[in-house]
Amino acid sequence: MDMSQIKDTAKQDVDVAVSVRGVSKNYGDVEALKDLSLDFPRGELTSLLGPSGCGKTTLLKIIAGLLEPTSGQVEVNGKTVTGPGPNRAFVFQDFALLPWATVLRNVAFGLELRGVAKSERESIAEKYIKDVGLAGFENSYPHELSGGMRQRVGLARALSVDAKVLLLDEPFSAVDEQTRRKFQEDLLALVKNENKTFIFVTHSIEEAVYVSDQIAILLPRPSRVSEIIRPSGFRDKPVDQIRRDREYLDIVDKIWASLRNYVE
Amino acid sequence: MKLFGYKLPAMSSLLLWGLLWEIIGQMDVTFFVPPLSEVFVTLFSIIGTPAFTKALSETAYAFSSGVVISILIGIPVGILMGTSRLVDEILLPWVNMFLSAPLTALVPVLMVLFGFGMKSIIITTVLFAIWIIVLNSRAGVMQINRSLVEMAKSFGANKMDAFTKIYFWAALPEILGGVRIGIIRAVKGVIIGQLLISIVGFGALFELYSANFLMAHFWAVLIVLFALAFCISEILAYLERRVAYYAAKR
Ligand SMILES: Nc1ncnc2c1ncn2[C@@H]1O[C@H](COP(=O)(O)OP(=O)(O)OP(=O)(O)O)[C@@H](O)[C@H]1O
Ligand SMILES: [Mg+2]
């Protein structure tokens, strides 16, 4: 087995976009995160993978500035996070679309909150609606769309504010398998073309290995990073070659081997 | 509604009741119920008279002031209660108490506090209308999807943005329902106020007509009042239907 390309620790001299330093989070008596540290290299996609309830959403919301850590801190571009900011955009697991607003207004909503003029924000939104493949649905309402289409609206909204860090909380869990695979390929293209830092939460081992430059495995509560895996061999291969790549399969097995102890 | 396969127009049951009224009236069962046709004739004869227009404008003034005040205070207070635990704990018992309290019994107290004029009548109207508006706005806000609020925050919304762009719209179907019921209660409030506090407006007309056993006049004014309340309530029901497309999908 050729595992030489898998490195268990992050590279030393990488450009770090987001850095989590000794973060703990308690909900009353529940210790969700305990002294968790993790670096997210700029321009790469890092997956957070771990059993249900281990604190992935909690970590993402702390990075987003929506939750305050009990102790420790998060730095984005060297600046300590004190709240939400324009350098980060969140894609919600349940889409979080305004049901009373059209696709166009939903996608432009992030810009609307930032005070961008109506004509300008709508032309930006139209571009991203096209990019995610929803051209022609600008004036539809969320309840007229399928789950996959709604998720694209959420993605377009996050992209249109042009934040350098994208936080995605299980964005593909509400869509069917075919759509999911299509989204995964789109995500790979996005990472390649957009030069943004992606932080991606998922339940699926295969998905994490397929899309990630770096995978952080979290253990159950109180959660910390147990392992960091950096697939390197197949990232530049065509997307339809990845799933039969040797290294891909090895990493999937390896992750399963270390997680299976925690699944009863 | 369908009858023998024919689709009946809306409110055709009203025709039936109207007919029954006419028959009972024609049969002279009681002086209390004059024939409906006589009521309508009276209605058209008094509708342009100075006494009637004065009553109408006095009532409309008290009613609309009361309703506007109830809406302007009720909706923000309800939204505040729905968003803040503290405010909710403090205000909820009072709101619930006033909603079910026999408010008519409070009117004499209002007269002592605010005098015998328009002010007391408007306050009575507010007391009748506002509580259901508060409660409904609160209920609308409490069922809001938390992640909409988090979404707005994550894109940099301040408190005011969250209020006007998320909470208000998310609660709008409930708010409109509350306003509709509040307005119906306000009709009750304004008439009770006019009867008990100072005999003005429609209250004065009711007083005058019933004291003199002018039953056709009495019913005519009552029908005008019903019709006005019905129209306002229908306009709000229409607005409610306008937002119904997302009410079930929040
Ligand atoms: N608001 C809260 N109050 C109390 N406990 C909470 C709260 N939010 C989360 N928790 C607890 O913190 C732990 C981590 O929750 P979190 O939602 O971050 O998990 P997760 O890894 O995202 O799970 P999943 O994969 O199922 O989405 C859970 O055990 C949960 O019970
Ligand atoms: Mg989660």
Side-chain angles (χ1 to χ4, degrees), chain B residues 101-149:
Chain B
L103 292 168
T104 316
L106 273 180
V107 172
V109 182
L110 293 178
M111 284 154 61
V112 173
L113 287 176
F114 302 103
F116 294 84
M118 199 53 122
K119 199 154 91 184
S120 289
I121 298 176
I122 293 175
I123 290 171
T124 310
T125 314
V126 171
L127 279 182
F128 271 80
I130 196 169
W131 311 110
I132 191 68
I133 298 179
V134 170
L135 273 187
N136 260 40
S137 309
R138 170 182 177 274
V141 165
M142 291 190 94
Q143 54 77 46
I144 189 178
N145 181 353
R146 287 297 313 162
S147 71
L148 280 187
V149 181

Side-chain angles (χ1 to χ4, degrees), chain B residues 55-68:
Chain B
L56 183 65
S57 68
E58 278 170 354
T59 307
Y61 174 73
F63 172 79
S64 46
S65 316
V67 167
V68 168

Side-chain angles (χ1 to χ4, degrees), chain B residues 12-40:
Chain B
S12 38
S13 76
L14 272 187
L15 285 179
L16 203 69
W17 288 112
L19 200 66
L20 191 67
W21 182 342
E22 180 68 25
I23 293 169
I24 293 177
Q26 293 292 353
M27 282 170 15
D28 240 340
V29 179
T30 156
F31 82 95
F32 188 64
V33 186
L36 187 58
S37 51
E38 193 191 320
V39 171
F40 272 103

Side-chain angles (χ1 to χ4, degrees), chain A residues 111-122:
Chain A
L111 295 166
E112 182 181 334
L113 288 174
R114 285 172 195 187
V116 178
K118 191 175 162 87
S119 60
E120 189 186 343
R121 68 178 188 246
E122 288 191 343

